[in-house]
Amino acid sequence: MLDIKFIRENPEKVKEACQAKKEEVDVDRLLKLDKKYLRLLQKTEELRHKRREVSKKLPKKGTAPKYSKEELKKYEEETRKAKEERNKLLLEVPNLPAPDVKFGQSELDNEVIRTWGKKPDFGFEPLDYLVLAESLDLIDVKRASKVSGTRFGYLKNEAVLLEFALVNFALATLIKEGFQPVVPPALISEDSMLGMGYLAHGGEEETYHLTRDRLYLTGTSEQSIGPMYKDEVLSEEELPKRYVAFSSCFRREAGSWGKDTKGIFRVHQFDKVEMFAFTTQEDSIKEHDYFLSLEEKLVRTLGIPYRVVKMCTSDLGNPAARKFDIECWIPSQGKYRETHSTSCCTDYQARRLNIKYKDKNGKKHLIHTVNGTAFAIGRTIIALIENFQEKDGSILIPKVLRPYMEGKKKITKE
RNA sequence: GGAGGAGUAGCCUAGUGGUCUAAGGCGGCGCCCUGCUAAGGCGUUAGUCCCUUUGGGGGCUCGUGAGUUCGAAUCUCACCUCCUCCGCCA
């Protein structure tokens, strides 16, 4: 959520941002609703003041100057409605892009800012990860579709060991960097989900909503880590507060019918190790760059070729002010595909969640939030299988993961 | 799921229809006294919104929402959360 005061004072900037993000929000209507609300609020407060004056005098003098209870009630009701209407629209207003983010119309305007690693030269026709994984009995989507439907998968055997190796490797690396490990709830309240700003602009479509219990399944642990400090005031000394979370993630993939239908690249449920930080206003961009550097370090240590893409305005998403993706090389597709993403959400999430920090002078500010992928397990396993396949159909395990897999070097048929 | 209890400012707590415009303690902050494992004294210490001539004025918030009343922290109802016990359960 943006600051309504900021919108009142800078309507043109906000309109520009909506346009740049390709999100249709009627800012003029919002301001009109806001004015209406303020007018009603003033009248309501006036009547309440009158009520207080009346009830103060009454017990002493016994005479009651008249104020209309019905009138107050009417105004209170109208004020409440006007506020509700205004807030509904206010929540739709996206965060402003950071100054260094390029204006762009679509993902075609995203900018590749760095490419790392040599694409493997196999000397044979590389196979698709699913073919390899099925022949090695690592992934089973056929039976998963029997049990659960489309877009699900079983990870089996060494793929499972790989998952836990990746988790342990990420945890070890990030704990060394001062991150606190956490396993968060995968079900969160409607309030928490709203606070993270993922329900606006059709976001509701993307999430599993358990209406009977009024809970949402989280699409990423960002959604359960952010609200941890809802309505709290942290002190500046404890910032940045960094978490590394492991959780299953659930996504309806409603807007991606027909896209990546094969295998486990795009599924309704996957596990992810996620980084999250609460920072000061001054440090959030620095923290965001740091998150990107950690993501690169993790991928580099595995040895997967990748590139870094800086998102243009239209590809930022609602809460983000700035966003990078890491795309890993997928040989069978001859393409880089997204495996990591890191966003700086400035105070957009914190305002809604009411998370603040006290600076050295005791002054309170809204906190800034930064999130980023450490490993999206499924996609990382895909990249590993594809890039480290050998001619005989076996898979070489990256050195750094071997200690977590009892020294195993290779996944082979035997 | 059932029975009982509780929810008051950062934390702990007082409070039974109108001086509650919420007392006190702890913690924090400032100053004073002192002078070495310190102790004490004085003061200060919630958030949020609106208006403003920038002096200030006003509203709301005692878990949340409704109700009763001229007036609600206080009475009524519903809901939420936590605690205790019971039931079920990995």
mmCIF file of all heavy atoms in Angstrom, chain A residues 38-74:
data_model
loop_
_atom_site.group_PDB
_atom_site.id
_atom_site.type_symbol
_atom_site.label_atom_id
_atom_site.label_comp_id
_atom_site.label_asym_id
_atom_site.label_seq_id
_atom_site.Cartn_x
_atom_site.Cartn_y
_atom_site.Cartn_z
ATOM 1 N N LEU A 38 -12.950 12.295 3.677
ATOM 2 C CA LEU A 38 -12.471 13.315 4.610
ATOM 3 C C LEU A 38 -13.587 14.265 5.017
ATOM 4 O O LEU A 38 -13.674 14.685 6.167
ATOM 5 C CB LEU A 38 -11.305 14.100 3.994
ATOM 6 C CG LEU A 38 -9.999 13.319 3.840
ATOM 7 C CD1 LEU A 38 -8.918 14.206 3.244
ATOM 8 C CD2 LEU A 38 -9.537 12.746 5.168
ATOM 9 N N ARG A 39 -14.433 14.581 4.037
ATOM 10 C CA ARG A 39 -15.555 15.474 4.329
ATOM 11 C C ARG A 39 -16.476 14.842 5.369
ATOM 12 O O ARG A 39 -16.858 15.463 6.352
ATOM 13 C CB ARG A 39 -16.322 15.751 3.035
ATOM 14 C CG ARG A 39 -16.780 17.185 2.884
ATOM 15 C CD ARG A 39 -17.341 17.482 1.499
ATOM 16 N NE ARG A 39 -18.110 16.408 0.936
ATOM 17 C CZ ARG A 39 -17.867 15.832 -0.246
ATOM 18 N NH1 ARG A 39 -16.872 16.260 -0.996
ATOM 19 N NH2 ARG A 39 -18.617 14.847 -0.698
ATOM 20 N N LEU A 40 -16.796 13.590 5.156
ATOM 21 C CA LEU A 40 -17.678 12.879 6.070
ATOM 22 C C LEU A 40 -17.027 12.709 7.445
ATOM 23 O O LEU A 40 -17.679 12.842 8.479
ATOM 24 C CB LEU A 40 -18.045 11.512 5.495
ATOM 25 C CG LEU A 40 -19.043 11.541 4.337
ATOM 26 C CD1 LEU A 40 -19.063 10.200 3.603
ATOM 27 C CD2 LEU A 40 -20.435 11.880 4.844
ATOM 28 N N LEU A 41 -15.724 12.435 7.411
ATOM 29 C CA LEU A 41 -15.000 12.239 8.669
ATOM 30 C C LEU A 41 -15.060 13.499 9.526
ATOM 31 O O LEU A 41 -15.307 13.446 10.737
ATOM 32 C CB LEU A 41 -13.544 11.877 8.376
ATOM 33 C CG LEU A 41 -12.664 11.627 9.605
ATOM 34 C CD1 LEU A 41 -13.133 10.387 10.355
ATOM 35 C CD2 LEU A 41 -11.201 11.498 9.226
ATOM 36 N N GLN A 42 -14.876 14.641 8.884
ATOM 37 C CA GLN A 42 -14.895 15.902 9.609
ATOM 38 C C GLN A 42 -16.241 16.129 10.279
ATOM 39 O O GLN A 42 -16.312 16.518 11.434
ATOM 40 C CB GLN A 42 -14.626 17.046 8.632
ATOM 41 C CG GLN A 42 -13.340 17.773 8.909
ATOM 42 C CD GLN A 42 -13.041 18.740 7.781
ATOM 43 O OE1 GLN A 42 -12.719 18.330 6.672
ATOM 44 N NE2 GLN A 42 -13.174 20.006 8.066
ATOM 45 N N LYS A 43 -17.276 15.859 9.529
ATOM 46 C CA LYS A 43 -18.634 16.050 10.046
ATOM 47 C C LYS A 43 -18.886 15.098 11.215
ATOM 48 O O LYS A 43 -19.460 15.493 12.235
ATOM 49 C CB LYS A 43 -19.621 15.798 8.892
ATOM 50 C CG LYS A 43 -21.060 16.017 9.251
ATOM 51 C CD LYS A 43 -21.397 17.494 9.416
ATOM 52 C CE LYS A 43 -22.878 17.633 9.852
ATOM 53 N NZ LYS A 43 -23.181 18.980 10.350
ATOM 54 N N THR A 44 -18.445 13.852 11.055
ATOM 55 C CA THR A 44 -18.634 12.860 12.111
ATOM 56 C C THR A 44 -17.915 13.286 13.388
ATOM 57 O O THR A 44 -18.465 13.192 14.490
ATOM 58 C CB THR A 44 -18.097 11.491 11.655
ATOM 59 O OG1 THR A 44 -18.782 11.113 10.465
ATOM 60 C CG2 THR A 44 -18.321 10.435 12.712
ATOM 61 N N GLU A 45 -16.681 13.762 13.216
ATOM 62 C CA GLU A 45 -15.908 14.158 14.391
ATOM 63 C C GLU A 45 -16.530 15.354 15.090
ATOM 64 O O GLU A 45 -16.493 15.463 16.310
ATOM 65 C CB GLU A 45 -14.462 14.444 13.985
ATOM 66 C CG GLU A 45 -13.742 13.179 13.548
ATOM 67 C CD GLU A 45 -12.252 13.376 13.376
ATOM 68 O OE1 GLU A 45 -11.803 14.530 13.355
ATOM 69 O OE2 GLU A 45 -11.552 12.360 13.259
ATOM 70 N N GLU A 46 -17.105 16.232 14.293
ATOM 71 C CA GLU A 46 -17.788 17.394 14.843
ATOM 72 C C GLU A 46 -18.937 16.948 15.751
ATOM 73 O O GLU A 46 -19.098 17.443 16.867
ATOM 74 C CB GLU A 46 -18.359 18.188 13.669
ATOM 75 C CG GLU A 46 -18.383 19.676 13.820
ATOM 76 C CD GLU A 46 -18.836 20.293 12.492
ATOM 77 O OE1 GLU A 46 -17.975 20.432 11.584
ATOM 78 O OE2 GLU A 46 -20.043 20.549 12.367
ATOM 79 N N LEU A 47 -19.720 15.989 15.239
ATOM 80 C CA LEU A 47 -20.865 15.489 16.002
ATOM 81 C C LEU A 47 -20.421 14.751 17.265
ATOM 82 O O LEU A 47 -21.045 14.861 18.318
ATOM 83 C CB LEU A 47 -21.724 14.569 15.130
ATOM 84 C CG LEU A 47 -22.540 15.274 14.049
ATOM 85 C CD1 LEU A 47 -23.120 14.271 13.064
ATOM 86 C CD2 LEU A 47 -23.655 16.095 14.679
ATOM 87 N N ARG A 48 -19.330 14.026 17.147
ATOM 88 C CA ARG A 48 -18.820 13.313 18.320
ATOM 89 C C ARG A 48 -18.366 14.290 19.391
ATOM 90 O O ARG A 48 -18.538 14.062 20.583
ATOM 91 C CB ARG A 48 -17.644 12.421 17.919
ATOM 92 C CG ARG A 48 -18.075 11.121 17.304
ATOM 93 C CD ARG A 48 -16.854 10.333 16.889
ATOM 94 N NE ARG A 48 -17.198 9.054 16.321
ATOM 95 C CZ ARG A 48 -16.430 8.399 15.451
ATOM 96 N NH1 ARG A 48 -15.298 8.941 15.053
ATOM 97 N NH2 ARG A 48 -16.789 7.229 14.989
ATOM 98 N N HIS A 49 -17.754 15.374 18.927
ATOM 99 C CA HIS A 49 -17.315 16.400 19.853
ATOM 100 C C HIS A 49 -18.522 16.980 20.585
ATOM 101 O O HIS A 49 -18.483 17.182 21.793
ATOM 102 C CB HIS A 49 -16.569 17.505 19.091
ATOM 103 C CG HIS A 49 -16.048 18.576 19.986
ATOM 104 N ND1 HIS A 49 -15.146 18.325 20.982
ATOM 105 C CD2 HIS A 49 -16.313 19.898 20.060
ATOM 106 C CE1 HIS A 49 -14.875 19.447 21.615
ATOM 107 N NE2 HIS A 49 -15.566 20.418 21.083
ATOM 108 N N LYS A 50 -19.573 17.211 19.853
ATOM 109 C CA LYS A 50 -20.804 17.744 20.416
ATOM 110 C C LYS A 50 -21.346 16.781 21.478
ATOM 111 O O LYS A 50 -21.749 17.195 22.559
ATOM 112 C CB LYS A 50 -21.825 17.919 19.291
ATOM 113 C CG LYS A 50 -22.787 19.053 19.485
ATOM 114 C CD LYS A 50 -23.412 19.406 18.151
ATOM 115 C CE LYS A 50 -24.799 19.972 18.341
ATOM 116 N NZ LYS A 50 -25.512 19.998 17.036
ATOM 117 N N ARG A 51 -21.313 15.495 21.126
ATOM 118 C CA ARG A 51 -21.815 14.494 22.063
ATOM 119 C C ARG A 51 -21.055 14.563 23.380
ATOM 120 O O ARG A 51 -21.629 14.508 24.461
ATOM 121 C CB ARG A 51 -21.663 13.099 21.446
ATOM 122 C CG ARG A 51 -22.052 11.982 22.416
ATOM 123 C CD ARG A 51 -21.915 10.611 21.806
ATOM 124 N NE ARG A 51 -20.519 10.254 21.574
ATOM 125 C CZ ARG A 51 -20.126 9.161 20.943
ATOM 126 N NH1 ARG A 51 -21.050 8.331 20.458
ATOM 127 N NH2 ARG A 51 -18.860 8.892 20.773
ATOM 128 N N ARG A 52 -19.768 14.692 23.265
ATOM 129 C CA ARG A 52 -18.939 14.741 24.470
ATOM 130 C C ARG A 52 -19.283 15.964 25.316
ATOM 131 O O ARG A 52 -19.395 15.878 26.546
ATOM 132 C CB ARG A 52 -17.474 14.758 24.062
ATOM 133 C CG ARG A 52 -16.548 15.094 25.196
ATOM 134 C CD ARG A 52 -15.125 14.767 24.872
ATOM 135 N NE ARG A 52 -14.865 13.361 25.130
ATOM 136 C CZ ARG A 52 -13.678 12.803 24.992
ATOM 137 N NH1 ARG A 52 -12.687 13.509 24.548
ATOM 138 N NH2 ARG A 52 -13.496 11.535 25.282
ATOM 139 N N GLU A 53 -19.441 17.096 24.658
ATOM 140 C CA GLU A 53 -19.779 18.329 25.363
ATOM 141 C C GLU A 53 -21.103 18.169 26.095
ATOM 142 O O GLU A 53 -21.244 18.573 27.243
ATOM 143 C CB GLU A 53 -19.868 19.498 24.368
ATOM 144 C CG GLU A 53 -18.542 19.872 23.724
ATOM 145 C CD GLU A 53 -17.502 20.318 24.742
ATOM 146 O OE1 GLU A 53 -17.815 21.204 25.545
ATOM 147 O OE2 GLU A 53 -16.372 19.766 24.737
ATOM 148 N N VAL A 54 -22.039 17.552 25.412
ATOM 149 C CA VAL A 54 -23.367 17.353 25.984
ATOM 150 C C VAL A 54 -23.302 16.476 27.215
ATOM 151 O O VAL A 54 -23.807 16.812 28.283
ATOM 152 C CB VAL A 54 -24.322 16.729 24.933
ATOM 153 C CG1 VAL A 54 -25.596 16.237 25.598
ATOM 154 C CG2 VAL A 54 -24.643 17.743 23.856
ATOM 155 N N SER A 55 -22.646 15.338 27.080
ATOM 156 C CA SER A 55 -22.656 14.388 28.182
ATOM 157 C C SER A 55 -21.819 14.871 29.355
ATOM 158 O O SER A 55 -21.966 14.417 30.475
ATOM 159 C CB SER A 55 -22.166 13.021 27.713
ATOM 160 O OG SER A 55 -20.795 13.074 27.431
ATOM 161 N N LYS A 56 -20.932 15.835 29.083
ATOM 162 C CA LYS A 56 -20.124 16.413 30.154
ATOM 163 C C LYS A 56 -20.976 17.330 31.024
ATOM 164 O O LYS A 56 -20.818 17.387 32.227
ATOM 165 C CB LYS A 56 -18.973 17.213 29.522
ATOM 166 C CG LYS A 56 -17.608 16.876 30.134
ATOM 167 C CD LYS A 56 -16.612 17.928 29.740
ATOM 168 C CE LYS A 56 -15.642 17.365 28.723
ATOM 169 N NZ LYS A 56 -14.685 18.373 28.228
ATOM 170 N N LYS A 57 -21.852 18.044 30.374
ATOM 171 C CA LYS A 57 -22.667 19.029 31.090
ATOM 172 C C LYS A 57 -23.826 18.387 31.837
ATOM 173 O O LYS A 57 -24.214 18.827 32.902
ATOM 174 C CB LYS A 57 -23.223 20.053 30.099
ATOM 175 C CG LYS A 57 -22.227 21.149 29.853
ATOM 176 C CD LYS A 57 -22.738 22.163 28.846
ATOM 177 C CE LYS A 57 -21.579 23.042 28.392
ATOM 178 N NZ LYS A 57 -21.665 23.364 26.965
ATOM 179 N N LEU A 58 -24.345 17.333 31.244
ATOM 180 C CA LEU A 58 -25.590 16.749 31.715
ATOM 181 C C LEU A 58 -25.624 16.381 33.199
ATOM 182 O O LEU A 58 -26.539 16.796 33.910
ATOM 183 C CB LEU A 58 -25.970 15.540 30.854
ATOM 184 C CG LEU A 58 -27.354 14.991 31.145
ATOM 185 C CD1 LEU A 58 -28.417 15.972 30.654
ATOM 186 C CD2 LEU A 58 -27.542 13.649 30.490
ATOM 187 N N PRO A 59 -24.658 15.602 33.701
ATOM 188 C CA PRO A 59 -24.776 15.152 35.092
ATOM 189 C C PRO A 59 -24.717 16.301 36.080
ATOM 190 O O PRO A 59 -25.191 16.174 37.200
ATOM 191 C CB PRO A 59 -23.592 14.200 35.259
ATOM 192 C CG PRO A 59 -22.678 14.490 34.131
ATOM 193 C CD PRO A 59 -23.482 15.079 33.036
ATOM 194 N N LYS A 60 -24.133 17.432 35.665
ATOM 195 C CA LYS A 60 -24.010 18.556 36.581
ATOM 196 C C LYS A 60 -25.269 19.421 36.594
ATOM 197 O O LYS A 60 -25.800 19.740 37.636
ATOM 198 C CB LYS A 60 -22.801 19.407 36.208
ATOM 199 C CG LYS A 60 -21.512 18.693 36.611
ATOM 200 C CD LYS A 60 -20.311 19.498 36.223
ATOM 201 C CE LYS A 60 -19.044 18.663 36.486
ATOM 202 N NZ LYS A 60 -17.922 19.154 35.716
ATOM 203 N N LYS A 61 -25.690 19.777 35.407
ATOM 204 C CA LYS A 61 -26.791 20.729 35.344
ATOM 205 C C LYS A 61 -28.137 20.061 35.142
ATOM 206 O O LYS A 61 -29.164 20.661 35.400
ATOM 207 C CB LYS A 61 -26.555 21.732 34.204
ATOM 208 C CG LYS A 61 -25.166 22.343 34.280
ATOM 209 C CD LYS A 61 -25.129 23.722 33.675
ATOM 210 C CE LYS A 61 -23.835 24.417 34.082
ATOM 211 N NZ LYS A 61 -23.307 25.263 33.007
ATOM 212 N N GLY A 62 -28.118 18.858 34.659
ATOM 213 C CA GLY A 62 -29.378 18.162 34.472
ATOM 214 C C GLY A 62 -30.134 18.566 33.230
ATOM 215 O O GLY A 62 -31.172 18.015 32.928
ATOM 216 N N THR A 63 -29.592 19.561 32.475
ATOM 217 C CA THR A 63 -30.267 19.932 31.232
ATOM 218 C C THR A 63 -29.433 19.455 30.048
ATOM 219 O O THR A 63 -28.222 19.583 30.050
ATOM 220 C CB THR A 63 -30.427 21.462 31.122
ATOM 221 O OG1 THR A 63 -29.154 22.043 31.405
ATOM 222 C CG2 THR A 63 -31.457 21.985 32.067
ATOM 223 N N ALA A 64 -30.104 18.888 29.073
ATOM 224 C CA ALA A 64 -29.382 18.325 27.939
ATOM 225 C C ALA A 64 -29.562 19.147 26.681
ATOM 226 O O ALA A 64 -30.612 19.119 26.073
ATOM 227 C CB ALA A 64 -29.874 16.898 27.690
ATOM 228 N N PRO A 65 -28.515 19.905 26.290
ATOM 229 C CA PRO A 65 -28.582 20.538 24.989
ATOM 230 C C PRO A 65 -28.658 19.437 23.939
ATOM 231 O O PRO A 65 -28.006 18.409 24.082
ATOM 232 C CB PRO A 65 -27.276 21.316 24.881
ATOM 233 C CG PRO A 65 -26.447 20.941 26.054
ATOM 234 C CD PRO A 65 -27.239 20.101 26.972
ATOM 235 N N LYS A 66 -29.433 19.665 22.933
ATOM 236 C CA LYS A 66 -29.748 18.558 22.029
ATOM 237 C C LYS A 66 -28.633 18.256 21.038
ATOM 238 O O LYS A 66 -28.031 19.139 20.464
ATOM 239 C CB LYS A 66 -31.007 18.921 21.241
ATOM 240 C CG LYS A 66 -32.233 17.960 21.312
ATOM 241 C CD LYS A 66 -32.064 16.736 22.090
ATOM 242 C CE LYS A 66 -33.004 15.619 21.649
ATOM 243 N NZ LYS A 66 -32.954 14.510 22.575
ATOM 244 N N TYR A 67 -28.340 16.988 20.869
ATOM 245 C CA TYR A 67 -27.585 16.561 19.697
ATOM 246 C C TYR A 67 -28.283 15.323 19.172
ATOM 247 O O TYR A 67 -28.874 14.562 19.950
ATOM 248 C CB TYR A 67 -26.122 16.297 20.032
ATOM 249 C CG TYR A 67 -25.784 14.862 20.302
ATOM 250 C CD1 TYR A 67 -25.273 14.052 19.275
ATOM 251 C CD2 TYR A 67 -25.978 14.290 21.552
ATOM 252 C CE1 TYR A 67 -24.964 12.730 19.513
ATOM 253 C CE2 TYR A 67 -25.675 12.980 21.794
ATOM 254 C CZ TYR A 67 -25.173 12.188 20.777
ATOM 255 O OH TYR A 67 -24.881 10.894 21.008
ATOM 256 N N SER A 68 -28.235 15.133 17.888
ATOM 257 C CA SER A 68 -29.017 14.049 17.322
ATOM 258 C C SER A 68 -28.195 12.780 17.203
ATOM 259 O O SER A 68 -27.208 12.700 16.488
ATOM 260 C CB SER A 68 -29.532 14.444 15.943
ATOM 261 O OG SER A 68 -30.005 13.288 15.288
ATOM 262 N N LYS A 69 -28.609 11.814 17.960
ATOM 263 C CA LYS A 69 -27.962 10.523 17.949
ATOM 264 C C LYS A 69 -28.087 9.868 16.573
ATOM 265 O O LYS A 69 -27.163 9.242 16.078
ATOM 266 C CB LYS A 69 -28.669 9.655 18.974
ATOM 267 C CG LYS A 69 -27.839 8.525 19.488
ATOM 268 C CD LYS A 69 -28.600 7.938 20.661
ATOM 269 C CE LYS A 69 -28.171 6.528 20.915
ATOM 270 N NZ LYS A 69 -28.907 5.948 22.035
ATOM 271 N N GLU A 70 -29.261 10.054 15.993
ATOM 272 C CA GLU A 70 -29.510 9.453 14.675
ATOM 273 C C GLU A 70 -28.594 10.055 13.621
ATOM 274 O O GLU A 70 -28.069 9.346 12.767
ATOM 275 C CB GLU A 70 -30.981 9.650 14.253
ATOM 276 C CG GLU A 70 -31.969 8.791 15.010
ATOM 277 C CD GLU A 70 -32.116 9.219 16.476
ATOM 278 O OE1 GLU A 70 -32.018 10.445 16.751
ATOM 279 O OE2 GLU A 70 -32.300 8.347 17.346
ATOM 280 N N GLU A 71 -28.411 11.356 13.733
ATOM 281 C CA GLU A 71 -27.562 12.029 12.760
ATOM 282 C C GLU A 71 -26.133 11.499 12.849
ATOM 283 O O GLU A 71 -25.496 11.191 11.837
ATOM 284 C CB GLU A 71 -27.587 13.543 12.999
ATOM 285 C CG GLU A 71 -27.124 14.325 11.794
ATOM 286 C CD GLU A 71 -26.964 15.810 12.094
ATOM 287 O OE1 GLU A 71 -27.200 16.221 13.242
ATOM 288 O OE2 GLU A 71 -26.589 16.550 11.170
ATOM 289 N N LEU A 72 -25.630 11.372 14.065
ATOM 290 C CA LEU A 72 -24.277 10.865 14.251
ATOM 291 C C LEU A 72 -24.155 9.459 13.673
ATOM 292 O O LEU A 72 -23.207 9.135 12.964
ATOM 293 C CB LEU A 72 -23.912 10.862 15.735
ATOM 294 C CG LEU A 72 -22.563 10.215 16.075
ATOM 295 C CD1 LEU A 72 -21.408 10.920 15.396
ATOM 296 C CD2 LEU A 72 -22.328 10.184 17.585
ATOM 297 N N LYS A 73 -25.137 8.654 13.992
ATOM 298 C CA LYS A 73 -25.111 7.274 13.514
ATOM 299 C C LYS A 73 -25.069 7.219 11.992
ATOM 300 O O LYS A 73 -24.337 6.437 11.400
ATOM 301 C CB LYS A 73 -26.365 6.558 14.011
ATOM 302 C CG LYS A 73 -26.102 5.145 14.442
ATOM 303 C CD LYS A 73 -27.363 4.570 15.053
ATOM 304 C CE LYS A 73 -27.034 3.441 15.996
ATOM 305 N NZ LYS A 73 -28.216 3.024 16.755
ATOM 306 N N LYS A 74 -25.858 8.075 11.395
ATOM 307 C CA LYS A 74 -25.920 8.130 9.939
ATOM 308 C C LYS A 74 -24.547 8.510 9.371
ATOM 309 O O LYS A 74 -24.049 7.881 8.435
ATOM 310 C CB LYS A 74 -26.978 9.163 9.522
ATOM 311 C CG LYS A 74 -27.400 9.067 8.070
ATOM 312 C CD LYS A 74 -28.320 10.228 7.686
ATOM 313 C CE LYS A 74 -27.531 11.331 7.016
ATOM 314 N NZ LYS A 74 -28.195 12.631 7.006
#
